[in-house]
Amino acid sequence: MTAASISSIDSPVTSSSPSSGAGTAGGPQAGIGERVLIQELSKRYRNTVALDNVSLEVGAGELVSILGPSGSGKTTTLMIIAGFSEGAYSGQVLVGGRRIDDLPPNRRGIGVVFQHLELFPHMTVEDNIAFPLRMRGEPRSVVQQRVGEALELVQLSAFGKRIPAQLSGGQRQRVALARAVVYSPPVLLLDEPFGALDKSLREDMQAELRALNRKLGITVIHVTHDQAEAMAISDRIVVMNKGRIEQVGTPHQLYFNPESRFVGSFVGESVFIDGAAGKPAGQGRCEFRSRGGLVLQGRVGKPLAEGQEAALMLRPESVRLGAEGAAPGASLEAVVVDTVFGGERRMYTVAAVQGGEHFKVSVPSSALSATPLAAGERVHISWSPDEALILS
Ligand code: ADP
Ligand code: MG
């Protein structure tokens, strides 16, 4: 991908109806954003199925992150939307209700920031940002004004005369972001744009992106493999696995109601106990029998048949030390195996006395906390049965 082709994705398809998609599900603000609809996308590379029937709706002004492990089809999805897909695919892409599959990238009204950002090295920051406007023959006064606004938006007004080599990594990313939005495209696509930055810069850029999305109302589809990043900035998250969408939901929904073990293990930290579903226990719960013979209870996400192979999922912060007032099937006796001090919390790994399964317990810490438990000590652990999720 050359810098020229990145920068040429600039002209809105529907400049005459900038907010026709506003007000659809998830759009937090009426602005320049358009609704993006992808329908039944499938794509193969020789023997690899990169995408397998992927459909998704992103509301006007919504910020959606596509989250998934390497090779799950995130970049392929983005490239198809942007118009840079190599070779054929099936399915369709609509922006603001219009099909864009046959439009060249520069007429899709989509700004793109790629994984490996490429600014023109010999051009000043101003000229880099002005490039998409000049390509379109905008008059000098317009170019000057828009570039000024874009620089202000990413807080780089004092850096316009520098060349990229005179900027930090984070500043270069902000220039790329400014260049992608200088044309006010209704849609902005980003492919792991902050992956190379250190933690604090990455957090700054996440806040920047969120602010941009809020200020302009621009629709943002952001690809990442960093679940904390997706949780922090997204209206909704799309979890992909092996070319398919596993689940779509708000960060809260994905965290507390994962529909599969894959999603539960990908978003946040959890412990999974293998076993089988037992009898219904009322209140949306059922019994669970672990391989080691523990009889527990948990909340049922998707319906399960009695005897069906299943896993009980527990977040470490849902488990507490002690068993006072514990509900049936939601406590057990264990032995401390390991303890890790993480600053704000301490994480214990414990093994059930009966069965030997490992559980994790995350306890908030403070300077006044009691002396931590040591390996080999016996403890009781307990949790609310509604915070134990039984998944197929
Ligand atoms: P992600 O961005 O989630 O890491 P990709 O969309 O890049 O995943 O890739 C999805 C699948 O398609 C992977 O199995 C990958 O190896 C394959 N793939 C991607 N691009 C090509 C290509 N140009 N040629 C062959 N296979 C590819
Ligand atoms: Mg990728």
Side-chain angles (χ1 to χ4, degrees), residues 33 39 85 134 150 169 198 233 235 296 309 316 325 335 343-344:
Q39 291 176 323
S85 172
R134 294 200 175 119
D198 66 39
I233 65 170
D235 292 315
L296 305 173
E309 215 175 286
V335 176
E344 62 201 66

Side-chain angles (χ1 to χ4, degrees), residues 41 43 51 75-83 85 89 93 108:
L41 287 187
K43 164 90 188 159
L51 290 182
T75 295
T76 302
T77 304
L78 228 55
M79 287 297 154
I80 289 176
I81 300 172
S85 172
Y89 61 88
V93 182
R108 293 184 173 212

Side-chain angles (χ1 to χ4, degrees), residues 299-315:
R299 183 161 55 92
V300 183
K302 283 186 169 174
L304 294 165
E306 200 177 326
Q308 189 179 333
E309 215 175 286
L312 182 105
M313 180 186 124
L314 265 175
R315 299 277 186 203

Side-chain angles (χ1 to χ4, degrees), residues 117 119 125 128-129 150-151 154-160 162-179 193-194 197 201-202 204-205 208:
L117 115 110
L119 298 174
V125 165
N128 264 284
I129 298 172
L151 279 170
V154 297
Q155 298 170 45
L156 284 178
S157 299
F159 297 82
R162 296 201 187 176
I163 60 166
Q166 297 167 326
L167 300 176
S168 71
Q171 289 166 336
R172 283 200 288 268
Q173 281 292 5
R174 303 216 304 262
V175 175
L177 208 54
R179 188 176 61 180
F194 315 137
L197 305 178
L201 261 181
R202 201 158 68 217
D204 285 352
M205 289 304 296
E208 198 99 37

Side-chain angles (χ1 to χ4, degrees), residues 49 91 102 168 172 218 323 357 362 370 373 381:
V49 177
D102 296 329
S168 71
R172 283 200 288 268
I218 195 167
E357 281 99 342
S362 165
L373 297 166
I381 61 168

